[in-house]
Amino acid sequence: MATFDLPEDPITPFDDEFAVELPVHDTVLGEAAPRGDSPAVVDGTTGRAVGYRELAGTTRRLAAGLAGAGVEQGDVVALLGTNLTAYPLVLHACSRAGAVVYVMDGRTTETALRAQLAESGARWLIASRALLPAALRVCRGLAPGIRPVEGVFTLEPADGRRCVLDLAATAAPEPAVDIDPAGDIAVVHPSAGSRRCVRLTHSDLAADLALLASDHPLDAGERVLAGVPFADREGLSFLALHALRSGAAVVVMPELMNIPDLLDAVRVHRVETVFVTQTVLYGLVAAAPDDPSELGVLRRVVVTGPELGAATEETCAALLGVRRIEYLGRREYAAALPGPPLL
């Protein structure tokens, strides 16, 4: 069970206002099937969209496939991926199977990845194709005495390795797991420079969702550009949880610093909200067209990290043709205390 460092007058997952007695996949995807073919996740490069009905069905079948492959309730699944349409499908399928998702960050060194994998005690690892070679080297380089990874899958098709989505081709029923939202860990984020990690229960993530919905509401059908990695806690909460719970369409791009492609995605996919890091924001502003109306229906920018200075904020907003910049501050998150290593 996660422990909590409670500040004065905290907002915690146990406040009545935010109490949710459901696993996070049910909290997020409970209304997915009735939304039909409305896009849930869109590949900004190819235009391929995963509709909400498909999203709900695939997560159920994939959960069954994971169970059939040997994933048991309480198993740790390390997820090392770039922003791909498969990422939120795998996240919620793991939740349905009762697994704990350990979110690894591919932007760090292999030494750090090896430390993260050792910390996680993961039985399974799922990696995007671009990160697969590093993932395999990290698995082979684990020190003696560290639990080895039993199975490696890819987030997308790759030669010589099974794609995790292939597991969804099963007629087996969704596994029956008994999840305690307040006690069972759903997601783990490693802490930089430490062998301690932040462990989040299903209720923690529900509290995140309640605050995000209050501070940054999204409309059903609204197009949101994913300019923050899913591997960041902010990206995971805003994109894979909040946006999907709201019925929005998350537009993903494999390379977050390919600014021309991001701007093209804003235009082509009629993005209304861009959710970005400060670095991506500055890139978008520097490459923005002289006439902001060329960016189509863009109306809002939400930025992670500290607030910009007033003059910088005004300039950025003007160049992108939006009224103001919104900030995703740390107050949106449940107060989870970094826990000890999972080993």
Side-chain angles (χ1 to χ4, degrees):
M1 179 179 294
T3 56
F4 298 92
D5 181 17
L6 300 179
E8 293 183 5
D9 191 24
I11 295 176
T12 80
F14 306 107
D15 290 337
D16 289 342
E17 182 181 356
F18 301 113
V20 176
E21 301 300 328
L22 294 172
V24 69
H25 56 268
D26 286 333
T27 303
V28 173
L29 301 180
E31 300 299 321
R35 292 177 181 142
D37 295 330
S38 176
V41 190
V42 180
D43 185 321
T45 302
T46 67
R48 157 81 167 112
V50 178
Y52 271 96
R53 184 187 297 112
E54 180 183 357
L55 174 66
T58 300
T59 59
R60 292 183 184 279
R61 294 192 305 275
L62 181 52
L66 288 168
V71 177
E72 300 176 352
Q73 183 170 5
D75 276 359
V76 177
V77 177
L79 184 52
L80 177 63
T82 50
N83 280 16
L84 299 168
T85 56
Y87 200 112
L89 277 74
V90 169
L91 176 77
H92 291 294
C94 286
S95 178
R96 288 191 187 280
V100 177
V101 176
Y102 187 96
V103 181
M104 298 176 71
D105 190 345
R107 295 165 296 177
T108 189
T109 65
E110 288 188 20
T111 299
L113 289 176
R114 189 170 294 111
Q116 290 178 15
L117 192 58
E119 172 188 67
S120 73
R123 287 185 64 197
W124 315 92
L125 188 147
I126 302 171
S128 60
R129 186 170 53 215
L131 297 172
L132 180 61
L136 294 176
R137 288 193 295 270
V138 166
C139 288
R140 290 192 295 266
L142 289 174
I146 299 297
R147 180 178 188 170
V149 174
E150 295 181 22
V152 177
F153 300 95
T154 61
L155 270 171
E156 59 208 312
D159 292 340
R161 188 64 56 173
R162 192 175 186 186
C163 177
V164 69
L165 294 183
D166 292 342
L167 298 178
T170 177
E174 179 182 352
V177 295
D178 185 14
I179 294 174
D180 173 11
D184 288 345
I185 305 299
V187 172
V188 179
H189 289 273
S191 296
S194 171
R195 278 184 54 79
R196 295 168 69 84
C197 52
V198 176
R199 303 189 291 181
L200 300 167
T201 67
H202 293 260
S203 292
D204 293 338
L205 296 175
D208 289 356
L209 280 166
L211 286 168
L212 286 168
S214 173
D215 289 353
H216 306 282
L218 297 171
D219 294 330
E222 182 173 345
R223 300 277 177 128
V224 180
L225 181 70
V228 177
F230 283 126
D232 286 358
R233 184 176 174 192
E234 296 92 340
L236 199 75
S237 290
F238 194 95
L239 299 167
L241 306 182
H242 171 47
L244 295 181
R245 186 191 187 196
S246 303
V250 179
V251 179
V252 299
M253 300 292 292
E255 298 291 339
L256 296 187
M257 287 314 298
N258 190 327
I259 300 302
D261 282 354
L262 291 181
L263 288 172
D264 283 344
V266 171
R267 300 184 189 98
V268 171
H269 298 289
R270 298 184 61 77
V271 168
E272 298 171 69
T273 295
V274 295
F275 176 58
V276 292
T277 64
Q278 281 194 5
T279 302
V280 173
L281 171 65
Y282 290 143
L284 294 177
V285 168
D290 293 336
D291 181 0
S293 67
E294 292 181 23
L295 294 178
V297 296
L298 180 65
R299 61 182 176 85
R300 178 166 60 168
V301 175
V302 182
V303 183
T304 62
E307 295 188 13
L308 309 173
T312 301
E313 178 181 322
E314 183 177 351
T315 299
C316 290
L319 290 173
L320 293 175
V322 299
R323 287 194 305 165
R324 63 188 180 90
I325 306 292
E326 296 179 20
Y327 299 96
L328 194 72
R330 284 291 179 183
R331 82 176 191 85
E332 273 85 274
Y333 296 111
L337 178 68
L342 294 181
L343 295 177

